[in-house]
Amino acid sequence: MKNINIYLNFDGNLEDAFNFYREVFQGEYISLKKYMEMPHGDSLVPEDREKVMHAELKIGEGMALMGCDILKTWGQSITRGTNFYINITPDTEKEAHLIFNKLSAGGEVQMPLQRTFWGTIFGTVTDKFQTQWMINLTIEK
């Protein structure tokens, strides 16, 4: 396994928060993608287009803080204390499926592990102990 990072969810203020964290930790952005950049992003309601779909901020050697803004128009909400995921970056697709399947046993899959338009194999699951996990493996397109 390459690493494990914390993934935070925000209610529309991710960019402000991450700019603050960038200053605190002297970090640098690896990625900052807005919802309008996704396929059909222009069909989103205007207030959602500028929200952050995914951000990754390098904050140390081999460490990153990750996050996104939730979209209320998609039925998403934040409950403080559960507004984070533990993000796992496996070494291989086989390892990604193995870990995802084990975490899913007795839990609830929010997004099945699958290839995405942004160039990853990605899925989310809440395990049987209510811990939220992301599996996130970058692949070549």
Side-chain angles (χ1 to χ4, degrees), residues 54-82:
H54 175 73
E56 187 171 351
L57 182 66
K58 182 178 178 183
I59 59 173
E61 190 60 38
M63 296 183 64
L65 187 61
M66 302 169 144
C68 71
D69 284 318
I70 59 103
L71 298 182
K72 290 179 183 175
T73 56
W74 287 2
Q76 299 171 331
S77 64
I78 288 180
T79 302
R80 295 291 168 207
T82 60

Side-chain angles (χ1 to χ4, degrees), residues 77 97 100 116 132 135-136:
S77 64
H97 284 279
F100 189 84
T116 66
Q132 300 181 117
I135 306 299
N136 198 359

Side-chain angles (χ1 to χ4, degrees), residues 22-35:
R22 182 176 62 177
E23 184 177 320
V24 169
F25 297 112
Q26 297 297 298
E28 65 181 65
Y29 280 107
I30 297 168
S31 176
L32 183 72
K33 302 287 184 189
K34 305 237 174 151
Y35 281 101

